[in-house]
Coordinates of all heavy atoms in Angstrom, one line a residue:
E1 N -9.5 3.1 5.1 CA -9.1 2.5 3.8 C -7.6 2.4 3.7 O -7.0 1.4 3.3 CB -9.7 3.2 2.7 CG -9.4 2.6 1.3 CD -10.0 1.2 1.2 OE1 -11.0 0.9 1.9 OE2 -9.5 0.4 0.3
V2 N -6.9 3.4 4.1 CA -5.4 3.4 4.1 C -4.9 2.3 4.9 O -4.0 1.6 4.5 CB -4.9 4.8 4.5 CG1 -3.3 4.8 4.5 CG2 -5.3 5.9 3.5
A3 N -5.4 2.2 6.2 CA -4.9 1.2 7.1 C -5.2 -0.2 6.5 O -4.3 -1.1 6.6 CB -5.5 1.3 8.4
R4 N -6.3 -0.4 5.9 CA -6.7 -1.7 5.3 C -5.8 -2.1 4.2 O -5.2 -3.2 4.1 CB -8.1 -1.7 4.9 CG -8.7 -3.1 4.4 CD -10.2 -3.0 4.2 NE -10.5 -2.3 3.0 CZ -10.5 -2.8 1.8 NH1 -10.2 -4.1 1.6 NH2 -10.8 -2.1 0.7
Q5 N -5.5 -1.1 3.3 CA -4.6 -1.4 2.2 C -3.2 -1.6 2.6 O -2.5 -2.5 2.0 CB -4.7 -0.3 1.1 CG -6.0 -0.2 0.4 CD -6.3 -1.5 -0.4 OE1 -5.3 -2.1 -0.9 NE2 -7.5 -1.8 -0.6
L6 N -2.7 -0.9 3.6 CA -1.4 -1.1 4.1 C -1.2 -2.5 4.7 O -0.2 -3.1 4.5 CB -1.1 0.0 5.2 CG 0.3 -0.1 5.8 CD1 1.4 0.0 4.8 CD2 0.4 1.0 6.9
A7 N -2.2 -2.9 5.5 CA -2.2 -4.3 6.0 C -2.1 -5.3 4.9 O -1.4 -6.3 5.0 CB -3.4 -4.5 6.9
R8 N -2.9 -5.1 3.9 CA -2.9 -6.1 2.7 C -1.5 -6.1 2.1 O -1.0 -7.1 1.7 CB -4.0 -5.7 1.7 CG -5.4 -6.0 2.2 CD -6.4 -5.8 1.1 NE -6.2 -6.7 0.0 CZ -6.2 -6.4 -1.3 NH1 -6.4 -5.2 -1.7 NH2 -6.0 -7.4 -2.2
Y9 N -1.0 -4.9 1.9 CA 0.4 -4.8 1.2 C 1.4 -5.5 2.1 O 2.2 -6.3 1.5 CB 0.7 -3.3 1.1 CG 2.1 -3.0 0.6 CD1 2.3 -3.0 -0.8 CD2 3.2 -2.7 1.4 CE1 3.6 -2.8 -1.3 CE2 4.4 -2.5 0.9 CZ 4.6 -2.5 -0.4 OH 5.9 -2.2 -0.9
R10 N 1.4 -5.3 3.4 CA 2.4 -6.0 4.3 C 2.2 -7.5 4.3 O 3.2 -8.2 4.3 CB 2.3 -5.4 5.7 CG 2.8 -3.9 5.8 CD 4.3 -3.8 5.3 NE 4.7 -2.4 5.5 CZ 5.7 -1.9 4.8 NH1 6.4 -2.7 3.9 NH2 6.1 -0.7 5.0
A11 N 0.9 -7.9 4.3 CA 0.7 -9.4 4.3 C 1.2 -10.0 3.0 O 1.8 -11.1 3.0 CB -0.8 -9.6 4.4
W12 N 0.9 -9.4 1.8 CA 1.4 -9.9 0.6 C 2.9 -9.8 0.5 O 3.6 -10.7 -0.1 CB 0.7 -9.3 -0.6 CG -0.6 -9.8 -0.9 CD1 -1.8 -9.1 -0.7 CD2 -1.0 -11.1 -1.3 NE1 -2.9 -10.0 -1.0 CE2 -2.4 -11.2 -1.3 CE3 -0.2 -12.3 -1.5 CZ2 -3.0 -12.4 -1.7 CZ3 -0.9 -13.4 -1.9 CH2 -2.3 -13.5 -1.9
E13 N 3.5 -8.8 1.1 CA 5.0 -8.6 1.1 C 5.6 -9.8 1.9 O 6.6 -10.4 1.4 CB 5.3 -7.3 1.8 CG 6.8 -7.1 1.9 CD 7.1 -5.8 2.6 OE1 6.5 -5.5 3.7 OE2 7.9 -5.0 2.1
R14 N 5.0 -10.2 3.0 CA 5.5 -11.4 3.8 C 5.4 -12.6 3.0 O 6.3 -13.5 2.9 CB 4.8 -11.5 5.1 CG 5.2 -10.4 6.1 CD 4.6 -10.7 7.5 NE 3.1 -10.7 7.5 CZ 2.4 -9.6 7.6 NH1 2.9 -8.5 7.8 NH2 1.1 -9.7 7.6
T15 N 4.2 -12.8 2.3 CA 4.0 -14.0 1.5 C 5.0 -14.1 0.4 O 5.6 -15.2 0.1 CB 2.5 -14.0 0.9 OG1 1.6 -13.9 2.0 CG2 2.3 -15.2 0.1
L16 N 5.3 -13.0 -0.3 CA 6.2 -13.0 -1.4 C 7.6 -13.2 -0.9 O 8.4 -13.9 -1.6 CB 6.1 -11.6 -2.1 CG 7.0 -11.5 -3.4 CD1 6.6 -12.5 -4.4 CD2 6.9 -10.1 -3.9
L17 N 8.0 -12.8 0.3 CA 9.3 -13.0 0.8 C 9.5 -14.5 1.1 O 10.6 -15.0 1.0 CB 9.6 -12.2 2.1 CG 9.8 -10.7 1.8 CD1 9.8 -9.9 3.1 CD2 11.1 -10.5 1.0
M18 N 8.4 -15.2 1.5 CA 8.5 -16.6 1.8 C 8.5 -17.4 0.6 O 9.0 -18.6 0.6 CB 7.3 -17.0 2.7 CG 7.4 -16.5 4.1 SD 6.2 -17.1 5.3 CE 4.7 -16.4 4.6
A19 N 7.8 -16.9 -0.5 CA 7.7 -17.7 -1.7 C 8.0 -16.8 -2.9 O 7.0 -16.4 -3.6 CB 6.4 -18.4 -1.9
P20 N 9.2 -16.4 -3.2 CA 9.5 -15.4 -4.2 C 9.1 -15.8 -5.6 O 9.0 -15.0 -6.5 CB 11.0 -15.2 -4.1 CG 11.6 -16.1 -3.1 CD 10.4 -16.8 -2.5
A21 N 9.0 -17.1 -5.9 CA 8.7 -17.6 -7.2 C 7.1 -17.7 -7.4 O 6.7 -18.0 -8.5 CB 9.3 -18.9 -7.5
D22 N 6.4 -17.4 -6.4 CA 4.9 -17.5 -6.5 C 4.4 -16.3 -7.3 O 4.4 -15.1 -6.8 CB 4.3 -17.5 -5.1 CG 2.8 -17.7 -5.1 OD1 2.1 -17.5 -6.1 OD2 2.3 -18.0 -4.0
R23 N 3.9 -16.5 -8.5 CA 3.4 -15.5 -9.4 C 2.2 -14.8 -8.8 O 2.0 -13.6 -8.9 CB 3.1 -16.0 -10.8 CG 4.3 -16.3 -11.6 CD 3.9 -16.7 -13.0 NE 5.0 -16.2 -13.8 CZ 4.9 -16.2 -15.1 NH1 3.9 -16.7 -15.7 NH2 5.9 -15.7 -15.9
A24 N 1.3 -15.5 -8.3 CA 0.0 -15.0 -7.7 C 0.4 -14.0 -6.5 O -0.2 -12.9 -6.4 CB -0.9 -16.1 -7.2
A25 N 1.3 -14.4 -5.7 CA 1.8 -13.5 -4.6 C 2.4 -12.3 -5.1 O 2.1 -11.2 -4.6 CB 2.7 -14.3 -3.7
R26 N 3.2 -12.4 -6.2 CA 3.8 -11.2 -6.7 C 2.8 -10.2 -7.3 O 2.8 -9.0 -7.1 CB 4.8 -11.5 -7.8 CG 5.4 -10.3 -8.5 CD 6.7 -10.6 -9.2 NE 7.7 -11.2 -8.4 CZ 8.5 -10.5 -7.6 NH1 8.4 -9.2 -7.4 NH2 9.5 -11.2 -6.9
E27 N 1.8 -10.8 -8.1 CA 0.7 -10.0 -8.7 C -0.1 -9.3 -7.6 O -0.4 -8.1 -7.8 CB -0.1 -10.8 -9.6 CG 0.5 -11.3 -10.9 CD -0.3 -12.3 -11.7 OE1 -1.4 -12.5 -11.3 OE2 0.3 -12.8 -12.7
N28 N -0.5 -10.0 -6.6 CA -1.2 -9.4 -5.5 C -0.5 -8.3 -4.8 O -1.0 -7.3 -4.4 CB -1.7 -10.5 -4.5 CG -2.9 -11.2 -5.1 OD1 -3.9 -10.6 -5.4 ND2 -2.8 -12.5 -5.3
F29 N 0.8 -8.6 -4.5 CA 1.7 -7.6 -3.9 C 1.8 -6.3 -4.7 O 1.7 -5.2 -4.2 CB 3.1 -8.2 -3.6 CG 4.1 -7.3 -3.1 CD1 4.0 -6.8 -1.8 CD2 5.2 -6.9 -3.8 CE1 4.9 -5.9 -1.3 CE2 6.1 -6.1 -3.3 CZ 6.0 -5.5 -2.1
E30 N 2.0 -6.5 -6.0 CA 2.1 -5.4 -6.9 C 0.8 -4.6 -7.0 O 0.8 -3.4 -7.1 CB 2.6 -5.8 -8.3 CG 4.1 -6.2 -8.2 CD 4.6 -6.8 -9.5 OE1 3.8 -6.9 -10.5 OE2 5.8 -7.1 -9.6
D31 N -0.3 -5.3 -7.0 CA -1.6 -4.6 -7.0 C -1.8 -3.8 -5.8 O -2.3 -2.7 -5.8 CB -2.8 -5.7 -7.2 CG -2.9 -6.3 -8.6 OD1 -2.3 -5.7 -9.5 OD2 -3.6 -7.3 -8.7
C32 N -1.5 -4.4 -4.6 CA -1.6 -3.6 -3.4 C -0.7 -2.4 -3.4 O -1.1 -1.3 -2.9 CB -1.3 -4.5 -2.2 SG -2.5 -5.8 -1.9
G33 N 0.5 -2.6 -3.9 CA 1.5 -1.5 -4.0 C 0.9 -0.4 -4.9 O 1.0 0.8 -4.5
Y34 N 0.3 -0.7 -6.0 CA -0.3 0.3 -6.9 C -1.4 1.0 -6.2 O -1.5 2.2 -6.3 CB -0.8 -0.4 -8.1 CG -1.5 0.5 -9.0 CD1 -0.8 1.4 -9.9 CD2 -2.9 0.6 -9.1 CE1 -1.5 2.3 -10.7 CE2 -3.6 1.5 -9.9 CZ -2.9 2.3 -10.7 OH -3.6 3.2 -11.5
T35 N -2.3 0.3 -5.5 CA -3.4 0.9 -4.7 C -2.9 1.9 -3.7 O -3.4 3.0 -3.6 CB -4.3 -0.2 -4.1 OG1 -4.8 -1.0 -5.1 CG2 -5.4 0.4 -3.3
L36 N -1.8 1.5 -3.0 CA -1.2 2.4 -2.0 C -0.7 3.7 -2.7 O -0.8 4.8 -2.2 CB -0.1 1.7 -1.2 CG -0.5 1.0 0.0 CD1 0.7 0.3 0.7 CD2 -1.3 1.8 1.0
C37 N 0.0 3.5 -3.8 CA 0.5 4.6 -4.6 C -0.6 5.6 -4.9 O -0.5 6.8 -4.8 CB 1.2 4.2 -5.9 SG 2.8 3.4 -5.6
V38 N -1.8 5.1 -5.4 CA -2.9 5.9 -5.8 C -3.5 6.6 -4.5 O -3.7 7.8 -4.5 CB -4.0 5.1 -6.5 CG1 -5.2 5.9 -6.7 CG2 -3.5 4.6 -7.8
L39 N -3.6 5.9 -3.5 CA -4.2 6.4 -2.2 C -3.3 7.5 -1.7 O -3.8 8.6 -1.2 CB -4.4 5.4 -1.2 CG -5.6 4.4 -1.3 CD1 -5.5 3.3 -0.3 CD2 -6.9 5.2 -1.2
M40 N -2.0 7.3 -1.7 CA -1.1 8.2 -1.0 C -0.5 9.3 -2.0 O 0.2 10.2 -1.6 CB 0.0 7.4 -0.4 CG -0.5 6.4 0.7 SD -1.6 7.1 1.9 CE -0.6 8.3 2.7
G41 N -0.8 9.2 -3.3 CA -0.3 10.1 -4.2 C 1.2 10.0 -4.4 O 1.9 11.0 -4.6
K42 N 1.8 8.8 -4.4 CA 3.2 8.5 -4.6 C 3.4 7.7 -5.8 O 2.5 7.0 -6.3 CB 3.8 7.8 -3.4 CG 3.5 8.5 -2.0 CD 4.3 9.8 -2.0 CE 4.1 10.5 -0.6 NZ 4.7 11.8 -0.6
R43 N 4.6 7.7 -6.3 CA 5.0 6.9 -7.5 C 5.6 5.6 -7.2 O 5.7 4.7 -8.0 CB 5.9 7.7 -8.4 CG 5.2 8.8 -9.1 CD 6.1 9.6 -10.0 NE 5.4 10.5 -10.8 CZ 5.5 10.6 -12.1 NH1 6.4 9.9 -12.7 NH2 4.8 11.5 -12.8
C44 N 6.2 5.5 -6.0 CA 6.9 4.2 -5.6 C 6.1 3.6 -4.4 O 5.7 4.2 -3.5 CB 8.3 4.6 -5.1 SG 9.2 3.3 -4.4
A45 N 5.9 2.3 -4.6 CA 5.2 1.5 -3.5 C 5.8 1.6 -2.2 O 5.1 1.7 -1.2 CB 4.9 0.1 -4.0
R46 N 7.1 1.5 -2.1 CA 7.8 1.6 -0.8 C 7.6 2.9 -0.2 O 7.4 3.0 1.0 CB 9.3 1.3 -0.9 CG 9.6 -0.2 -1.2 CD 11.0 -0.5 -1.3 NE 11.6 0.2 -2.5 CZ 12.8 0.6 -2.6 NH1 13.7 0.5 -1.7 NH2 13.1 1.2 -3.8
V47 N 7.7 4.0 -1.0 CA 7.4 5.3 -0.4 C 6.0 5.5 0.0 O 5.7 6.1 1.0 CB 7.8 6.4 -1.5 CG1 7.5 7.8 -1.1 CG2 9.3 6.3 -1.8
A48 N 5.1 4.9 -0.8 CA 3.6 5.0 -0.5 C 3.3 4.2 0.8 O 2.6 4.7 1.6 CB 2.8 4.4 -1.6
A49 N 4.0 3.1 1.0 CA 3.8 2.3 2.2 C 4.3 3.1 3.4 O 3.6 3.1 4.5 CB 4.5 1.0 2.1
A50 N 5.4 3.7 3.3 CA 6.0 4.5 4.4 C 5.1 5.7 4.7 O 4.8 6.0 5.9 CB 7.4 5.0 4.0
A51 N 4.6 6.3 3.7 CA 3.6 7.4 3.9 C 2.3 7.0 4.5 O 1.8 7.6 5.4 CB 3.3 8.1 2.5
A52 N 1.9 5.8 4.1 CA 0.7 5.2 4.8 C 0.9 4.9 6.2 O 0.0 5.1 7.1 CB 0.2 4.0 4.0
E53 N 2.1 4.4 6.5 CA 2.4 4.1 8.0 C 2.4 5.4 8.8 O 1.9 5.4 9.9 CB 3.7 3.4 8.1 CG 3.6 1.9 7.6 CD 4.9 1.2 7.5 OE1 6.0 1.9 7.5 OE2 4.9 0.0 7.3
R54 N 2.9 6.4 8.2 CA 2.9 7.7 9.0 C 1.5 8.3 9.1 O 1.1 8.8 10.1 CB 3.8 8.8 8.2 CG 5.3 8.5 8.4 CD 6.1 9.7 7.9 NE 5.8 10.0 6.5 CZ 6.4 9.4 5.4 NH1 7.3 8.5 5.6 NH2 6.1 9.8 4.2
Y55 N 0.7 8.0 8.1 CA -0.7 8.5 8.1 C -1.6 7.8 9.1 O -2.4 8.5 9.8 CB -1.3 8.3 6.7 CG -2.7 8.8 6.5 CD1 -3.0 10.2 6.4 CD2 -3.8 7.9 6.5 CE1 -4.3 10.6 6.3 CE2 -5.1 8.3 6.4 CZ -5.4 9.7 6.3 OH -6.6 10.1 6.2
V56 N -1.4 6.5 9.3 CA -2.2 5.8 10.2 C -1.7 5.8 11.6 O -2.4 5.4 12.6 CB -2.5 4.3 9.7 CG1 -3.2 4.3 8.4 CG2 -1.2 3.5 9.7
R57 N -0.5 6.2 11.8 CA 0.1 6.3 13.1 C -0.5 7.4 14.0 O -0.4 8.5 13.6 CB 1.7 6.5 13.0 CG 2.4 6.1 14.3 CD 3.9 6.2 14.1 NE 4.3 5.3 13.0 CZ 5.4 5.6 12.2 NH1 6.0 6.8 12.3 NH2 5.7 4.8 11.3
P58 N -1.1 7.1 15.1 CA -1.7 8.1 15.9 C -0.7 9.0 16.5 O 0.4 8.6 16.9 CB -2.5 7.3 17.0 CG -1.9 6.0 17.0 CD -1.3 5.7 15.7
G59 N -1.0 10.3 16.6 CA -0.2 11.3 17.2 C 0.9 11.9 16.3 O 1.6 12.8 16.7
E60 N 1.0 11.4 15.1 CA 2.0 11.9 14.2 C 1.4 12.9 13.3 O 0.3 12.8 12.8 CB 2.5 10.7 13.3 CG 3.3 9.7 14.0 CD 4.7 10.2 14.4 OE1 5.3 10.9 13.6 OE2 5.1 9.7 15.5
P61 N 2.1 14.0 13.1 CA 1.5 15.1 12.2 C 1.4 14.6 10.8 O 2.4 13.9 10.3 CB 2.5 16.2 12.3 CG 3.7 15.6 12.8 CD 3.4 14.4 13.6
V62 N 0.4 14.8 10.1 CA 0.2 14.4 8.7 C 0.4 15.7 7.8 O -0.2 16.7 8.0 CB -1.2 13.9 8.5 CG1 -1.4 13.6 7.0 CG2 -1.5 12.7 9.3
T63 N 1.4 15.6 6.9 CA 1.7 16.7 6.1 C 0.9 16.8 4.8 O 0.7 17.8 4.2 CB 3.2 16.8 5.7 OG1 3.5 15.6 5.1 CG2 4.0 16.9 7.0
R64 N 0.4 15.6 4.4 CA -0.4 15.5 3.2 C -1.5 14.5 3.3 O -1.2 13.3 3.7 CB 0.5 15.2 2.0 CG -0.3 15.2 0.7 CD 0.7 15.1 -0.5 NE -0.1 15.1 -1.7 CZ 0.2 14.5 -2.8 NH1 1.3 13.8 -2.8 NH2 -0.6 14.5 -3.8
R65 N -2.7 14.8 3.0 CA -3.8 13.8 3.0 C -3.7 12.9 1.8 O -3.3 13.4 0.7 CB -5.1 14.6 3.0 CG -5.3 15.6 4.1 CD -5.3 15.2 5.5 NE -6.4 14.4 5.8 CZ -6.6 13.9 7.0 NH1 -5.7 14.1 7.9 NH2 -7.7 13.3 7.3
P66 N -4.2 11.7 1.9 CA -4.2 10.8 0.7 C -5.2 11.3 -0.3 O -6.1 12.1 0.0 CB -4.6 9.5 1.3 CG -5.3 9.7 2.5 CD -4.7 11.0 3.1
A67 N -5.0 10.9 -1.5 CA -5.9 11.3 -2.6 C -7.3 10.7 -2.3 O -7.4 9.6 -1.8 CB -5.4 10.8 -3.9
P68 N -8.4 11.4 -2.7 CA -9.7 10.9 -2.4 C -10.0 9.7 -3.3 O -9.5 9.5 -4.4 CB -10.6 12.1 -2.9 CG -9.8 12.9 -3.7 CD -8.4 12.7 -3.3
L69 N -10.8 8.8 -2.8 CA -11.2 7.6 -3.5 C -12.2 7.9 -4.6 O -13.0 8.7 -4.4 CB -11.8 6.6 -2.5 CG -10.9 6.0 -1.5 CD1 -11.7 5.1 -0.5 CD2 -9.8 5.2 -2.0
S70 N -12.0 7.2 -5.7 CA -12.9 7.4 -6.8 C -14.2 6.6 -6.5 O -14.2 5.5 -6.0 CB -12.3 6.8 -8.1 OG -13.2 6.8 -9.1
R71 N -15.4 7.2 -6.7 CA -16.6 6.5 -6.4 C -17.1 5.6 -7.6 O -17.8 4.6 -7.3 CB -17.7 7.6 -6.2 CG -17.5 8.5 -5.1 CD -17.8 7.7 -3.8 NE -17.5 8.6 -2.7 CZ -17.3 8.2 -1.5 NH1 -17.4 6.9 -1.2 NH2 -17.1 9.0 -0.5
G72 N -16.7 5.9 -8.8 CA -17.1 5.0 -9.9 C -16.1 4.0 -10.3 O -14.9 4.2 -10.1
R73 N -16.5 2.9 -10.9 CA -15.6 1.9 -11.4 C -16.1 1.3 -12.6 O -17.2 1.0 -12.9 CB -15.4 0.8 -10.3 CG -14.1 1.0 -9.6 CD -13.5 -0.3 -9.2 NE -12.3 0.0 -8.6 CZ -11.2 -0.6 -8.8 NH1 -11.2 -1.7 -9.6 NH2 -10.1 -0.3 -8.2

């Protein structure tokens, strides 16, 4: 799940960089950033993305596991 959300975050980041005035791209990028923050237990999306990259990188020691996913919605 972390890898999937990180990929979505990076894809929307690229889209937003190509079209900074695109409101839908900004909303999706911010939503993905929020999701990464929740998954990684961070307050800043950039910090959460960096933590997610360390988490999914094989061979790297993980100092903190991401927060468990909520089952109910």
Side-chain angles (χ1 to χ4, degrees):
E1 184 62 23
V2 173
R4 188 173 72 86
Q5 289 299 328
L6 179 60
R8 288 185 67 224
Y9 177 83
R10 292 299 183 204
W12 282 113
E13 181 180 45
R14 286 188 300 273
T15 301
L16 185 59
L17 288 171
M18 290 187 295
D22 184 343
R23 285 185 146 186
R26 178 163 304 279
E27 289 173 6
N28 283 302
F29 175 66
E30 290 175 357
D31 286 346
C32 289
Y34 175 79
T35 301
L36 274 179
C37 286
V38 171
L39 283 172
M40 302 310 297
K42 304 293 183 189
R43 290 180 169 226
C44 172
R46 286 182 293 151
V47 173
E53 287 171 346
R54 286 189 304 274
Y55 180 76
V56 299
R57 197 176 301 148
E60 294 287 325
V62 176
T63 58
R64 183 170 180 212
R65 308 296 288 182
L69 294 174
S70 172
R71 297 284 180 201
R73 259 212 178 223

